[in-house]
Amino acid sequence: MSFIYNVQTRRRPALAILGGPPLFPERLHVGRPNIGNRRAFLARVNDMFDRRWLSNDGPFVKELEARIANFVGVKHCIAICNGTVALEIAARALDLEGEVLVPAFTFIATAHALQWQGITPVFVDIDPRTHNIAPAAIERHITARTTGIIGVHLWGRPCDTVALDAIATRHHLKQIYDAAHAFGCSHDGRMIGSFGACEIFSFHATKFVNSFEGGAIVTNDAALAHRMRLMRNFGFVDYDRVEDVGTNGKMTEICAAMGLISLDELGDLIAINRLNHEAYRRGLGDLPGLSMVRFDPAERSNYQYVAVEVIPEAAPLDRDELIAVLHAENILARRYFWPGCHRMQPYRSLQPKAGELLQETERVASQILVLPTGQAVSERTVAKVCNIIRAAFRDAARIRARLNATKLAAS
Ligand code: T4K
C-alpha cells in the first residue's frame, strides 16, 4: 500500500491516526543496527574459535584498539564492554569524587555512571543552539565539592571545548568527554577523541559503528591509560597480583570482531546516514515549526541522528501529537532525551529543584523528535516518513481533535 496513492480506489488512504491502515506493516525503529560484511565476520569468528581466545585482551581487541587510536589520532585506546562502563572507569581512574557537572540533556548513562559510584551528577543547562552543555551556565554550579566536568558531544556535534578548558583550568577540574555519539566526527579539524583528559565512545548495537555492545576510552595520557587498562581487568597486573581497585570492563573477542567489520564500512555507513539526512532535509525543510539539527559542513560528522525540534508556537502539531501520528504508522520515532536526566529517578527525588536552572533543557526535551535512519532505512522510506509528516501538518486540526477526544474518553 502506498501512502501517496492507492491504485484501486484512486484515493489517498487516511492517516492511521484517523483510522487508515498503518503505512508500514512492520515497525520502523530508530537504532536498527547496521550489519557489516557477514562473511568477513564469520571468518573472524572461526579464527576466534580456532584460537580458543574468547576474551581478555585478545588479538581482535588489540587490533580494534590500534585501529581506533590510529583513526582518532590518539596514543591510547582501551576497548571496554560498553560505553557506560567506559565512563565509570574513566571517572574512577581520574579520582573524580564529590560532585561532577554534566548536562541534564543527555542519555541517562552519563549521570548514572557517576551516581553508581557515589558521585553526585550536578545538572547543567544546555545551549539551545548546540544542545550541548552551556559554558555560561556552568560556574554557578561549582562548589568546593566539584571535581570534574563531563561534556557530551550530543548528536555528534562538538562541545565548546575551548570554553570548557578555560573553566576547568580556572577551577582545577578534570574533564571527560562523553563522545558516545561522536565517533568519526571532528572539531576544529581535529578528530573528537583527543579532547579533555580522555573521551569515551559507545559501540552499542544502535550506534552507526557497533560491536553488539561495546565502548572505548581514548586518551593521550600514558599513566591514565595504564590505570584504566588495569581497572578494566579487576586491577590485575599479573596472574596473581592486583594493584588497584578494578571491575570487569573487558570487551569480548566476538564483540571486537563485530567492531572491526563495522569499522571496515565506516565510510559507507556515514555516506548512507548523510544521504538520509539530506533526504529528510529536502522532505521537511520547508515545514513551519520544524527545525532539524544540522551539522557543520566544514567538519566531519557521522550524521547518525536525525533530530528535529518541533516548535509548538510555529508548528500546527506539537511534538507529542506528531509522535502519536508517527507511531500509528509504525514509525517509532523517539523522544531522546526527554524528559531530561533530572526528571528521572533517582535524580527527581534527590534533586527536586534541579529543573529551576534547566529551562533550555526542559524546552528542548519537550520539542525533540528523533527519526529513523541508518543502513536499514532507504531514501524512499525517508520520503514516505516525510510525506506522513506533511500530511499530518495539513490535517492538523482533525488530528488534534481526534487525540483530544481519545484523551477525554480515557480520563
Ligand atoms: N552516553 C551517551 C550520550 C549515550 O547516548 C549512551 C548510549 C551512553 C553514554 C552509554 O553507552 P552504552 O553503555 O549504551 O554503550 C539506546 C542505546 O541503548 C544506548 O546505547 C544509546 N546511548 C541511547 C541513545 O539509545 P535505548 O533504550 O533507546 O535502546 P534500545 O535497546 O531500546 O534500542 C533502541 C531501538 O533500536 C529499539 O527500540 C529497537 C532498535 N534495536 C535495538 C537493538 C539493541 C534493534 O532494532 N535491534 C537491536 O539489536 O537506548
Side-chain angles (χ1 to χ4, degrees), residues 147-262:
T147 56
I149 308 176
I150 302 184
V152 181
H153 306 298
L154 210 81
W155 315 129
R157 295 195 300 185
C159 291
D160 183 346
T161 54
V162 173
L164 294 180
D165 281 351
I167 295 168
T169 307
R170 215 161 34 243
H171 297 275
H172 310 289
L173 304 177
K174 292 175 180 160
Q175 275 192 86
I176 298 172
Y177 283 103
D178 178 340
H181 298 182
F183 189 66
C185 302
S186 70
H187 177 35
D188 285 338
R190 187 169 131 195
M191 292 307 282
I192 286 181
S194 58
F195 296 91
C198 61
E199 303 208 43
I200 75 95
F201 295 121
S202 165
F203 303 122
H204 180 256
T206 56
K207 298 293 186 295
F208 85 106
V209 166
N210 90 84
S211 61
F212 300 131
E213 290 277 355
I217 314 172
V218 283
T219 180
N220 282 316
D221 181 332
L224 181 64
H226 176 70
R227 193 165 189 213
M228 295 193 293
R229 210 170 265 290
L230 295 190
M231 285 182 162
R232 177 181 70 174
N233 184 26
F234 314 103
F236 276 108
V237 283
D238 208 340
Y239 272 148
D240 27 41
R241 212 153 55 88
V242 170
E243 286 294 326
D244 205 345
V245 66
T247 185
N248 183 351
K250 301 187 295 291
M251 179 184 271
T252 62
E253 283 290 276
I254 200 157
C255 286
M258 184 67 172
L260 284 163
I261 64 145
S262 198

Side-chain angles (χ1 to χ4, degrees), residues 7 12 123 143 158 160 165 176 195 245 274 283 385 388 405 408:
V7 181
R12 203 180 63 199
F123 298 112
T143 70
D160 183 346
D165 281 351
I176 298 172
F195 296 91
V245 66
R274 187 175 185 159
V385 173
I388 289 285
L408 208 64

Side-chain angles (χ1 to χ4, degrees), residues 29-33 83-84 107 178 180-181 202 204 206-207 334 336:
H29 289 284
V30 171
R32 209 93 176 116
T84 307
F107 188 57
D178 178 340
H181 298 182
S202 165
H204 180 256
T206 56
K207 298 293 186 295
R334 297 292 299 262
Y336 292 136

Side-chain angles (χ1 to χ4, degrees), residues 49-356:
F49 284 138
D50 290 344
R51 266 196 301 271
R52 289 182 188 271
W53 196 284
L54 307 185
S55 186
N56 203 359
D57 220 11
F60 288 158
V61 163
K62 289 194 167 99
E63 186 182 341
L64 183 68
E65 290 178 340
R67 279 181 60 185
I68 292 171
N70 181 48
F71 174 65
V72 171
V74 292
K75 292 192 183 131
H76 310 278
C77 171
I78 301 111
I80 305 284
C81 56
N82 60 55
T84 307
V85 173
L87 277 171
E88 288 169 12
I89 290 178
R92 181 76 71 148
L94 282 166
D95 294 317
L96 295 188
E97 56 184 354
E99 296 171 359
V100 170
L101 306 165
V102 295
F105 190 56
T106 178
F107 188 57
I108 196 67
T110 317
H112 278 355
L114 298 167
Q115 186 76 29
W116 189 252
Q117 43 198 334
I119 303 167
T120 302
V122 173
F123 298 112
V124 178
D125 212 357
I126 52 164
D127 179 335
R129 289 165 309 149
T130 64
H131 295 183
N132 287 328
I133 193 165
I138 288 182
E139 279 177 305
R140 72 178 71 132
H141 293 281
I142 294 178
T143 70
R145 284 169 45 78
T146 312
T147 56
I149 308 176
I150 302 184
V152 181
H153 306 298
L154 210 81
W155 315 129
R157 295 195 300 185
C159 291
D160 183 346
T161 54
V162 173
L164 294 180
D165 281 351
I167 295 168
T169 307
R170 215 161 34 243
H171 297 275
H172 310 289
L173 304 177
K174 292 175 180 160
Q175 275 192 86
I176 298 172
Y177 283 103
D178 178 340
H181 298 182
F183 189 66
C185 302
S186 70
H187 177 35
D188 285 338
R190 187 169 131 195
M191 292 307 282
I192 286 181
S194 58
F195 296 91
C198 61
E199 303 208 43
I200 75 95
F201 295 121
S202 165
F203 303 122
H204 180 256
T206 56
K207 298 293 186 295
F208 85 106
V209 166
N210 90 84
S211 61
F212 300 131
E213 290 277 355
I217 314 172
V218 283
T219 180
N220 282 316
D221 181 332
L224 181 64
H226 176 70
R227 193 165 189 213
M228 295 193 293
R229 210 170 265 290
L230 295 190
M231 285 182 162
R232 177 181 70 174
N233 184 26
F234 314 103
F236 276 108
V237 283
D238 208 340
Y239 272 148
D240 27 41
R241 212 153 55 88
V242 170
E243 286 294 326
D244 205 345
V245 66
T247 185
N248 183 351
K250 301 187 295 291
M251 179 184 271
T252 62
E253 283 290 276
I254 200 157
C255 286
M258 184 67 172
L260 284 163
I261 64 145
S262 198
L263 264 190
D264 288 342
E265 299 190 3
L266 178 128
D268 293 344
L269 297 173
I270 291 179
I272 291 169
N273 286 343
R274 187 175 185 159
L275 284 177
N276 282 346
H277 210 271
E278 283 162 4
Y280 274 116
R281 267 178 64 182
R282 281 196 305 277
L284 302 176
D286 60 333
L287 287 183
L290 285 194
S291 165
M292 254 179 92
V293 164
R294 289 176 179 233
F295 299 96
D296 182 347
E299 300 286 354
R300 292 175 68 165
S301 300
N302 59 36
Y303 301 90
Q304 71 176 317
Y305 290 103
V306 178
V308 182
E309 276 185 75
V310 187
I311 320 291
E313 305 80 39
L317 293 172
D318 68 24
R319 188 273 309 273
D320 289 341
E321 290 166 335
L322 196 50
I323 285 265
V325 168
L326 292 168
H327 282 206
E329 304 288 350
N330 269 336
I331 304 162
L332 298 192
R334 297 292 299 262
R335 297 190 286 192
Y336 292 136
F337 294 99
W338 183 82
C341 295
H342 63 296
R343 287 193 178 271
M344 293 182 166
Q345 292 292 23
Y347 314 106
R348 196 173 71 217
S349 299
L350 292 172
Q351 307 181 31
K353 294 197 167 156
E356 288 172 14

